[in-house]
Amino acid sequence: MIRLIFWAIIIYFGFRLIQGLFLPKNPSTRQNVRGKRKSDSLDLSNMDVEDANFREIDDDEKKRP
């Protein structure tokens, strides 16, 4: 009887181990985030953002001292 219980426990934990390794976790479980933000939001508008202008540098310009 003790051997039967022992093997049942071994099979149960083996099944749980295989299930945890190979089967994906349930994606419907969501974690709620609580507390305050550590940083403030930036509150940027389109007026605060500028486009950058780039120009190509030739190899000849790099070699000149």
Side-chain angles (χ1 to χ4, degrees):
M1 183 67 179
I2 292 176
R3 286 184 184 178
L4 180 64
I5 294 172
F6 174 76
W7 283 110
I9 291 172
I10 295 295
I11 292 171
Y12 172 76
F13 283 120
F15 176 75
R16 296 287 292 191
L17 178 70
I18 292 171
Q19 185 181 22
L21 292 175
F22 294 114
L23 296 179
K25 292 184 178 179
N26 191 359
S28 65
T29 58
R30 297 184 61 193
Q31 295 179 352
N32 293 331
V33 178
R34 296 181 184 178
K36 294 182 180 178
R37 288 185 176 196
K38 291 184 179 179
S39 62
D40 296 333
S41 61
L42 295 177
D43 292 334
L44 293 175
S45 67
N46 287 337
M47 298 297 292
D48 296 329
V49 179
E50 291 184 19
D51 289 332
N53 293 323
F54 296 100
R55 64 181 180 91
E56 192 69 31
I57 298 176
D58 294 332
D59 289 336
D60 295 336
E61 290 182 25
K62 290 181 186 176
K63 293 179 183 176
R64 284 189 232 161

